[in-house]
Amino acid sequence: QVQLVESGGGLVQAGGSLRLTCAPSGRTFRSYAMGWFRQAPGKEREFVAAITWSGGVTAYTDSVKGRFTISRDNAKNTVYLQMNSLKPEDTAVYYCAAQTVAGPFSNILTYGYWGQGTQVTVSS
């Protein structure tokens, strides 16, 4: 059983910061990258950021570039999403996911394991 456990969500005012953490546990699994997605009420789940385990290659959706930073700590087997200059439109449930099939980072279908999600609410 593979589990991805997210933490770090919460309520913050616009302009504030939060750091999300994703810690995989359970049986060992292979993944090409780890990603963060988000889903706002009434909207589809969308790609936010991703990072490879081996090369440290990162990718971001345009709306978060310059504000969000994805990073990893291989020793702790943990992935982080530092979110700065938060905006009300960043409000969503944020999900950590493991990319188990090769493909574009933004392709949700290439992610085989998902966390339960953590709520991020940004007030104006």
Side-chain angles (χ1 to χ4, degrees):
Q1 185 81 4
V2 173
Q3 286 187 313
L4 303 182
V5 181
E6 303 104 331
S7 61
L11 173 64
V12 65
Q13 288 188 332
S17 299
L18 284 173
R19 189 177 80 158
L20 304 184
T21 299
C22 175
S25 64
R27 67 175 179 84
T28 302
F29 64 94
R30 281 192 174 187
S31 66
Y32 294 91
M34 295 296 294
W36 288 96
F37 287 74
R38 65 187 180 187
Q39 187 167 19
K43 294 187 177 181
E44 293 189 351
R45 194 170 298 188
E46 65 171 357
F47 170 76
V48 175
I51 186 168
T52 58
W53 282 113
S54 58
V57 175
T58 59
Y60 300 90
T61 193
D62 285 346
S63 63
V64 308
K65 285 180 180 177
R67 299 188 299 122
F68 291 11
T69 302
I70 190 170
S71 61
R72 75 204 190 288
D73 183 334
N74 288 342
K76 296 182 179 179
N77 200 30
T78 300
V79 178
Y80 305 97
L81 184 67
Q82 178 66 43
M83 305 185 295
N84 298 329
S85 302
L86 282 161
K87 304 175 181 180
E89 51 263 45
D90 295 318
T91 296
V93 177
Y94 283 70
Y95 296 90
C96 173
Q99 189 183 41
T100 53
V101 175
F105 290 141
S106 60
N107 187 343
I108 196 170
L109 298 178
T110 63
Y111 291 80
Y113 299 114
W114 292 83
Q116 81 288 351
T118 185
Q119 177 69 47
V120 171
T121 303
V122 184
S123 63
S124 57

